[in-house]
Amino acid sequence: MALRYKTDILKALKEKGYSSTRMREEKLMGQSYLQQLRRGEMVSWKTIDLLCRLLECQVGDLIEYVADDEPTEEQ
């Protein structure tokens, strides 16, 4: 199973006025989560919830499923 972001989350946040500095200063999101987003790594559901609230979107607007190329044992 491979989940990935459909959009550049940090860029979308910045367009809404939420820079990395503002996120840290207002204690909306910690540095470790910002680093995970920079690297394209998945974050917690709590953080996904926050992102959806800040960006006024649904989870499906942020994340997509991309099937792995490797066959599973069932195939």
Side-chain angles (χ1 to χ4, degrees):
M1 175 175 76
L3 295 175
R4 69 177 179 197
Y5 294 109
K6 293 168 80 171
T7 185
D8 182 341
I9 303 292
L10 294 176
K11 181 179 176 184
L13 285 168
K14 194 169 191 172
E15 288 171 357
K16 288 276 192 173
Y18 294 101
S19 67
S20 296
T21 304
R22 179 180 176 190
M23 298 287 284
R24 284 191 311 270
E25 286 176 354
E26 294 183 16
K27 298 184 178 165
L28 296 171
M29 189 179 301
Q31 183 61 35
S32 63
Y33 289 116
L34 292 170
Q35 274 298 72
Q36 284 177 286
L37 291 170
R38 279 187 193 97
R39 289 186 234 133
E41 298 172 0
M42 285 295 126
V43 293
S44 70
W45 284 111
K46 183 177 179 180
T47 303
I48 296 291
D49 176 66
L50 172 66
L51 292 171
C52 288
R53 195 164 10 105
L54 296 176
L55 297 173
E56 300 173 353
C57 66
Q58 296 293 313
V59 176
D61 297 329
L62 301 177
I63 298 172
E64 68 182 340
Y65 170 78
V66 179
D68 290 332
D69 291 335
E70 298 177 23
T72 63
E73 291 180 23
E74 296 172 355
Q75 293 178 335

